[in-house]
Amino acid sequence: MYSEKVMDHFEHPRNVGEIENASGVGTVGNAKCGDIMRMYLDIDDKGVIRDCKFKTFGCGAAVATSSMATELVKGKTVQEALQVTNKAVMEALDGLPPVKVHCSLLAEEAIHAALWDYAQKHGIKIEGLEKPKSDIHEGEEDEEEEY
Ligand code: FES
């Protein structure tokens, strides 16, 4: 059912953890399955993503897609990172079963949320980046969310 790459990233996820004083942090959740993903980006002053880490509380496909997403955005510019869509992540993983496509969407949204946070903190606008839909801001997890 799952490709070897998916299994590999699920069993040996890359870049798990957090980045202290990250340039941008994005947390997104899927209300339907209850899975949550958080991405940390370390971006240098040229707008290049030096490091990326993640924490995912979710299914195996969510872990694999977040792991692959961190690998794909590392070393990219902020603009290039926008091209790391859920499709790109799925392709890099040699596909996902249809019922698991939404898991890869969480990875795309988490990247966007972290980029949005970075842009907000630096007072810049990233061309083509829209405000993330389901961003749950840091420290607000305890508050009641309306879905
Ligand atoms: Fe929801 Fe995978 S089942 S993220």
Side-chain angles (χ1 to χ4, degrees):
M1 178 173 175
Y2 290 111
S3 73
E4 273 177 35
K5 277 193 190 160
V6 172
M7 290 312 292
D8 180 34
H9 276 264
F10 168 59
E11 282 169 6
H12 312 284
R14 328 300 200 254
N15 311 308
V16 177
E18 43 189 281
I19 297 174
E20 254 183 78
N21 302 318
S23 319
V25 183
T27 308
V28 293
N30 183 310
K32 251 190 178 166
C33 62
D35 292 351
I36 295 169
M37 200 182 278
R38 179 173 296 163
M39 287 271 177
Y40 299 82
L41 296 176
D42 177 24
I43 301 170
D44 71 14
D45 41 17
K46 290 195 180 77
V48 176
I49 298 168
R50 267 192 300 228
D51 200 9
C52 179
K53 292 212 186 295
F54 80 93
K55 276 189 177 170
T56 290
F57 181 81
C59 73
V63 171
T65 51
S66 23
S67 168
M68 182 53 93
T70 57
E71 289 282 89
L72 290 177
V73 299
K74 256 206 228 180
K76 288 201 164 61
T77 64
V78 163
Q79 275 301 328
E80 288 166 347
L82 275 184
Q83 310 305 317
V84 180
T85 58
N86 77 307
K87 264 194 178 162
V89 173
M90 278 200 297
E91 267 170 36
L93 285 170
D94 292 338
L96 277 176
V99 292
K100 290 287 170 185
V101 171
H102 80 270
C103 316
S104 64
L105 216 52
L106 212 52
E108 179 185 309
E109 284 184 16
I111 295 171
H112 287 185
L115 288 172
W116 183 265
D117 181 45
Y118 162 74
Q120 294 284 296
K121 280 181 182 157
H122 291 77
I124 55 171
K125 193 178 180 315
I126 299 173
E127 210 55 52
L129 179 65
E130 286 176 16
K131 192 174 192 303
K133 281 172 253 145
S134 49
D135 188 21
I136 306 157
H137 288 290
E138 279 261 284
E140 286 182 3
E141 284 86 356
D142 297 339
E143 290 176 21
E144 276 191 7
E145 295 281 333
E146 272 187 312
Y147 286 107

